[in-house]
Amino acid sequence: MDIETPIRFSDITAATPTRETLERDYAAINALFDDGDIAEAAARFDRLRREIGTWGALVELRFQQNTDDAEAKAALDYRDELLPTAQNHETGLKQRMLAHDDRTAIVNAAGAHAVALWELDVGTFRPEIEADLEREAKLSARYTELTASVQIEIDGRSVNYEGMAPYREHLDRALRHEAERKIDGFFGENAAELDQIYDDLVKLRHGMARKLGYDNFIALGYKRMRRLDYGPDDVARYRDAIAAHVTPLVARLMEQRRETFGWDKVFVWDERIVDPLGNPTPLGGHDELVAAGQAMYDRMNPEIAAFYRAMNEGGFLDLKNRPAKGNGGFCTGFDTVGMPFIFANFVGTSGDIDVLTHEMGHAFQYFSSRSLPSVDYVTPGMESAEIHSMSFELLAHPHADLLVGEAAADRYRRMHLTDILPSLPRMACLDHFQHEIYANPDMTPAERRATWRRLERHYTPWRDYGDLANGADGGWWQKVLHLYLMPFYMIDYALAQCCALQFWTRSRKNYQVALEDYIALCRRGGSAPFLELVRSAGLISPFEPGALEDSVAEVSRSLLSS
């Protein structure tokens, strides 16, 4: 795939829609549909959704880049107020198309998989929940603002939440303890507001589900995630497999780590430190890591290298940590131009490498499938999308010397693999927690915390909070933005990791074949549901008996032999 005429992020613009322009644009599309021009109606519908999507992505990105920017916050508030109106128009048109007598014409115009997705979408909205959706967005924004406001004094410096990462991984155990204690203190001080935000979100989502005819939010949440080919029972079995096959292994590895380091216990502030020499870190700062990334992609594949160069030169990377910047990392996309954008917070730890490769996997997939005929196909469901990102992290392993130096490359690979294993029970715990919360929406904050402590004992029995009061009280989960902003997302990482490890196993036998298979999967985008995409790449479904055990066993063998 050739990189076309370069585009710069600064050149991307999007008109701000209004209720009047939405009414006008959808009226025109509906008129075409009424006249029997189904193909043109579907084409204009697709273009309009791309335009609205680009505008919404720009607004969200600008807010995340500076949550203190009053103008960006006002634009986000306006977007959150308008999007339910846009969703009302969009759902109405989808309903009309789905009800059309000539189903073949609709499928020919939109695509069979898009039509299947629309059938899910129409079950997630009715006009009576417009105000609820606006309220949900505002509560989510408040969580982002609050967690982005963290400022902690440590080691003579004032740092934000992301900036605490080097201290949380420091070889000095006392400094790690201090870092976690101060983070725990921030969340403890704000626990009442965080509890209230989540309580409001849970009850709001439950209310929307009831208005739409569901018993609770679980069924609605799965539809909002556009899950076509599996459900809660499948996910529950996968969680059970993690608890049965991964949790005991991680418990043994944690005990080995305790013995290696000579600790009395493994406390929460010890879990991030894997390497007795100190976790490997990037060779340099932001500029050096960005340049090392280019060298890595040059070595990996010409197509990937050219894409990364276009991203960097076009201003589609925002990787420096700074005050008031939103936490975490993500990849967004601008559907009108087919270019993605990577947002992250580099802080000088190995996590910088992980986020650079993880979000690059998302970005490369988005770019690879940008020319697919439907906007519904450009980005797959999140469990499929995480295959691209997590596989890319592992496919970067042979090139780790460029990022951390030759001497630390094997240590980095070992650390990265080691970190994968405890992430699986953690994600299963977060997912199980959400299922229990939304099945019992009237739980009090104290009952939610008790539920979290019970589930932690099941999935992560090694976890010991020591003197961290908020964590010991069951408040750790409040650090996880996905629970507030993207309910039921967490298991997607665990499902994708099973598939990513299969790509990793394949790459150890024949790297070039594995990379070509990976690129082919990226090009398919979201043109099929999860399990079909998995099969198309020659992968075994995570729901198949033995799939998880085989993947984890391969990691275990690698760690034991290295």
Side-chain angles (χ1 to χ4, degrees):
M1 181 186 301
D2 294 328
I3 302 295
E4 298 167 358
T5 303
I7 183 172
R8 298 194 61 80
F9 171 64
S10 57
D11 295 332
I12 297 177
T13 59
T16 300
T18 66
R19 284 173 172 78
E20 291 74 25
T21 62
L22 288 171
E23 183 73 34
R24 178 200 67 204
D25 292 341
Y26 273 99
I29 296 170
N30 276 286
L32 285 168
F33 186 73
D34 290 338
D35 291 340
D37 196 346
I38 294 172
E40 181 59 23
R44 289 202 190 181
F45 182 37
D46 191 81
R47 286 198 298 273
L48 180 57
R49 286 190 293 153
R50 290 175 190 265
E51 291 166 4
I52 294 171
T54 294
W55 164 72
L58 284 169
V59 169
E60 177 71 29
L61 176 62
R62 287 165 181 155
F63 170 69
Q64 292 285 350
Q65 289 178 315
N66 184 1
T67 61
D68 282 347
D69 185 331
E71 186 176 339
K73 180 61 168 63
L76 183 73
D77 287 341
Y78 174 76
R79 186 204 67 169
D80 293 342
E81 292 166 5
L82 188 68
L83 283 183
T85 300
Q87 190 172 355
N88 188 12
H89 285 293
E90 180 179 321
T91 302
L93 185 55
K94 287 176 179 176
Q95 287 173 326
R96 294 196 69 204
M97 289 187 171
L98 292 171
H100 194 269
D101 292 338
D102 191 348
R103 182 76 165 199
T104 300
I106 301 299
V107 168
N108 289 341
H113 181 52
V115 169
L117 291 172
W118 293 0
E119 288 174 333
L120 282 182
D121 295 342
V122 298
T124 67
F125 180 84
R126 283 208 299 262
E128 51 263 44
I129 69 167
E130 279 194 39
D132 296 329
L133 290 169
E134 180 182 337
R135 174 67 175 152
E136 182 183 22
K138 289 184 184 301
L139 287 166
S140 297
R142 175 56 191 152
Y143 175 85
T144 299
E145 285 181 289
L146 180 58
T147 54
S149 72
V150 178
Q151 284 296 316
I152 294 175
E153 300 296 326
I154 188 168
D155 196 31
R157 299 177 59 213
S158 179
V159 298
N160 62 9
Y161 183 72
E162 293 290 344
M164 291 295 288
Y167 302 103
R168 301 172 84 181
E169 295 185 23
H170 203 281
L171 204 54
D172 183 334
R173 196 183 194 197
L175 191 54
R176 291 200 309 275
H177 183 193
E178 181 186 359
E180 291 295 348
R181 182 172 52 80
K182 290 187 172 181
I183 291 171
D184 185 77
F186 171 86
F187 281 89
E189 291 165 8
N190 291 279
E193 182 174 1
L194 290 165
D195 277 331
Q196 189 61 58
I197 292 171
Y198 197 64
D199 191 69
D200 290 346
L201 283 167
V202 168
K203 288 181 169 59
L204 188 66
R205 287 165 179 158
H206 179 72
M208 285 191 281
R210 296 294 294 167
K211 290 176 185 178
L212 294 172
Y214 304 103
D215 291 337
N216 55 47
F217 180 71
I218 296 172
L220 174 58
Y222 271 61
K223 285 192 173 184
R224 294 205 322 188
M225 294 296 290
R226 301 183 115 187
R227 293 174 177 168
L228 275 168
D229 48 2
Y230 65 95
D233 291 343
D234 301 296
V235 169
R237 286 193 296 273
Y238 188 62
R239 292 197 308 259
D240 289 344
I242 291 173
H245 300 289
V246 185
T247 292
L249 173 60
V250 175
R252 291 197 298 272
L253 291 173
M254 287 293 180
E255 175 59 19
Q256 289 177 8
R257 195 181 306 179
R258 185 195 68 77
E259 293 175 352
T260 298
F261 281 88
W263 298 327
D264 51 341
K265 293 181 179 180
V266 179
F267 290 106
V268 166
W269 52 87
D270 298 320
E271 291 183 18
R272 288 172 172 260
I273 187 75
V274 176
D275 193 313
L277 299 178
N279 293 352
T281 59
L283 284 173
H286 170 276
D287 294 352
E288 290 82 5
L289 183 53
V290 170
Q294 186 65 66
M296 175 174 66
Y297 298 133
D298 286 342
R299 185 196 285 178
M300 184 183 290
N301 175 269
E303 182 179 337
I304 296 172
F307 167 66
Y308 179 76
R309 186 172 292 105
M311 288 277 288
N312 188 22
E313 294 177 355
F316 291 92
L317 305 175
D318 180 0
L319 309 176
K320 291 182 179 179
N321 181 38
R322 55 183 178 271
K325 188 177 182 181
N327 293 326
F330 61 82
C331 174
T332 191
F334 309 114
D335 296 332
T336 52
V337 296
M339 278 298 289
F341 189 105
I342 295 177
F343 171 101
N345 285 273
F346 280 4
V347 291
T349 70
S350 63
D352 298 352
I353 296 170
D354 300 340
V355 77
L356 179 65
T357 52
H358 183 100
E359 302 305 338
M360 180 63 175
H362 284 311
F364 180 70
Q365 175 275 306
Y366 178 92
F367 185 78
S368 298
S369 58
R370 73 195 190 285
S371 298
L372 290 176
S374 169
V375 69
D376 291 295
Y377 294 174
V378 175
T379 303
M382 296 317 303
E383 72 288 273
S384 302
E386 296 303 343
I387 298 175
H388 309 126
S389 56
M390 291 178 155
S391 298
F392 208 65
E393 290 183 43
L394 291 162
L395 290 169
H397 273 199
H399 315 288
D401 59 298
L402 296 172
L403 307 173
V404 298
E406 184 65 43
D410 284 340
R411 290 170 48 220
Y412 168 79
R413 287 187 280 264
R414 180 178 178 82
M415 178 189 65
H416 187 248
L417 285 174
T418 301
D419 278 343
I420 285 173
L421 296 176
S423 75
L424 291 166
R426 185 168 60 248
M427 290 181 285
C429 188
L430 288 161
D431 181 74
H432 195 158
F433 176 69
Q434 291 179 89
H435 279 80
E436 292 214 13
I437 294 307
Y438 286 108
N440 302 280
D442 292 325
M443 278 188 188
T444 64
E447 288 170 333
R448 291 193 190 105
R449 287 167 173 260
T451 298
W452 177 253
R453 291 197 301 271
R454 171 172 56 81
L455 293 174
E456 271 194 318
R457 289 192 293 272
H458 177 64
Y459 289 101
T460 56
W462 56 84
R463 177 151 281 194
D464 190 327
Y465 289 97
D467 61 356
L468 306 187
N470 189 56
D473 188 44
W476 182 89
W477 59 271
Q478 291 183 326
K479 300 174 185 177
V480 183
L481 63 85
H482 301 70
L483 270 66
Y484 287 80
L485 276 58
M486 296 163 280
F488 294 115
Y489 191 159
M490 290 307 300
I491 201 64
D492 297 53
Y493 293 105
L495 292 169
Q497 193 64 266
C498 182
C499 298
L501 288 171
Q502 294 177 57
F503 267 124
W504 171 73
T505 299
R506 193 178 301 178
S507 74
R508 299 176 78 203
K509 298 172 182 175
N510 190 318
Y511 186 84
Q512 195 56 41
V513 167
L515 185 60
E516 289 171 1
D517 291 344
Y518 169 81
I519 292 172
L521 179 63
C522 287
R523 287 176 177 155
R524 295 185 190 105
S527 58
F530 173 57
L531 295 179
E532 187 176 331
L533 288 171
V534 167
R535 284 192 295 270
S536 75
L539 305 173
I540 301 171
S541 162
F543 300 123
E544 287 293 320
L548 177 67
E549 297 94 302
D550 289 347
S551 294
V552 169
E554 188 70 21
V555 174
S556 182
R557 282 192 291 271
S558 176
L559 291 174
L560 291 173
S561 65
S562 61

